[in-house]
Amino acid sequence: MGVNATPAETAPDTVLAVDAGNSKTDVAVVGPDGEVLGAARGGGFQPPRTGLAAALDALGDTVRRALAQAGTAQAGHVSACLANADLPVEEAESAEAVRGRGWGRTAQVRNDTFAVLRAGLPQGAEARGVAVVCGAGINCAGINCAGMLPDGRTARFPAIGRISGDWGGGQGLAEEALWHAARAEDGRGEPTALARALPGHFGLPSMYALIEALHLGRIPMARTHELTPVLFAVGADGDPVARALVRRLAEEVATMATVALRRLELLDEKVPVLLGGGVLAARHPELDERIRALLADRAPKAVVGVVTAPPVLGAALLGLDSTGAPPEAHARLRAWYGGR
């Protein structure tokens, strides 16, 4: 990783790539030849909780560390893929706010799902395909165009919770598991091993004890995301309730991908369907196998893949697309991140 001896005011040919997720943020400064000149990691990006200005203030510290490592105060172009920028109007608002920060001469903001999509597309491939991301939440985006540029044809979902028809994501799965476990313990619901496994994860004897601890704040509600792997483990042991939740998530992923393919008129073409985010990248056997089986039936020409490269790679590749960098720069950047 290169570092200039004396910081320059502006490095006009560089890309500042930002992947800002709910739980963490990665920033990279990339030269026109694809070399990573600086990088930094920071905390999560959550404007719904803090407001956009405060979220960008927090992000700014991470950006400044990456720029300082690259030896510059400003990049030529900012390519930011942000969680919670779920609607085009939010992308536009965020882009205006990012441009106002002066991190780069130009800036473009996309939802973070597009970073996973771009990172997963094979080197040199046409920008045609769909990505489904399941981390804390769940989202899907697809594109069908000759380049990953703003004039491309896209398919996407609002992905802002139950009011937009969403189901799933790591946080949603944890809440569903808690709901079933609570009802199993008090007799309102079907018996399930989740009633023991979920409180057991926190060293507690019962669901009642876990409910009390969460309600009174002895265990922060933010820690409920830790229960998602517990759900998958209980499902793998054959528990019917846990398995039903896993299968429902597989159904949701396959449905989102199929609908996006249909909207883009790609349902009958050989194109990638890319799975990303912590839940899908973990490749839990039953979830992974069920998704592939459903897609084999509904979109038999789809080429299913799992994206394990960091999403900041996708943000950086989108930046190189926008600046017209040559294929060699894209290849060098992929090699640095170990991407394909």
Side-chain angles (χ1 to χ4, degrees), residues 7-323:
E9 186 64 25
T10 305
D13 296 328
T14 57
V15 169
L16 174 68
V18 180
D19 170 61
N22 283 289
S23 59
K24 63 178 175 60
T25 294
D26 283 313
V27 176
V29 181
V30 180
D33 60 353
E35 180 183 0
V36 177
L37 306 173
R41 172 167 285 189
F45 182 78
Q46 298 185 347
R49 293 186 179 181
T50 66
L52 180 58
L56 288 175
D57 286 343
L59 177 58
D61 176 67
T62 310
V63 167
R64 284 186 289 273
R65 286 190 284 119
L67 288 170
Q69 192 177 86
T72 185
Q74 184 187 59
H77 177 69
V78 180
S79 174
C81 294
L82 308 180
N84 301 299
D86 295 303
L87 305 176
V89 66
E90 291 175 316
E91 290 176 332
E93 179 186 9
S94 298
E96 183 179 359
V98 168
R99 284 190 285 270
R101 298 289 167 142
W103 299 336
R105 291 183 172 179
T106 61
Q108 186 166 17
V109 170
R110 300 174 179 84
N111 178 264
D112 58 346
T113 307
F114 285 98
V116 173
L117 174 58
R118 185 65 181 91
L121 288 174
Q123 174 73 20
E126 289 185 327
R128 300 164 75 235
V130 167
V132 182
V133 178
C134 186
I138 189 167
N139 204 349
C140 174
I143 192 162
N144 183 7
C145 68
M148 294 288 286
L149 296 174
D151 59 352
R153 180 180 173 190
T154 61
R156 58 194 297 179
F157 299 86
I160 53 177
R162 291 187 63 83
I163 64 170
S164 61
D166 303 340
W167 189 91
Q171 190 63 42
L173 285 174
E175 291 172 1
E176 290 284 340
L178 285 164
W179 188 88
H180 284 282
R183 292 173 68 87
E185 182 173 272
D186 66 22
R188 287 177 292 171
E190 181 181 350
T192 172
L194 292 168
R196 297 184 301 277
L198 299 188
H201 172 78
F202 295 107
L204 297 174
S206 66
M207 276 302 301
Y208 185 89
L210 177 55
I211 293 164
E212 181 180 82
L214 290 169
H215 178 65
L216 298 178
R218 293 197 292 267
I219 295 175
M221 289 296 294
R223 289 192 62 192
T224 55
H225 77 276
E226 298 174 19
L227 299 175
T228 304
V230 179
L231 166 66
F232 281 103
V234 172
D237 287 339
D239 182 78
V241 171
R243 289 192 68 196
L245 291 174
V246 172
R247 292 173 72 85
R248 183 176 175 186
L249 178 61
E251 174 70 31
E252 190 69 15
V253 170
T255 297
M256 295 182 89
T258 303
V259 169
L261 289 168
R262 183 180 299 115
R263 287 183 184 175
L264 295 168
E265 299 180 348
L266 293 174
L267 197 55
D268 297 320
E269 298 191 34
K270 186 177 180 180
V271 292
V273 170
L274 303 164
L275 309 178
V279 174
L280 298 180
R283 302 195 71 167
H284 299 285
E286 181 160 8
L287 177 63
D288 194 67
E289 292 167 10
R290 182 61 179 163
I291 291 170
R292 291 171 187 271
L294 290 170
L295 287 172
D297 178 60
R298 301 174 188 179
K301 292 188 177 180
V303 181
V304 182
V306 176
V307 180
T308 56
V312 70
L313 167 63
L317 289 169
L318 286 167
L320 293 180
D321 292 340
S322 295
T323 59

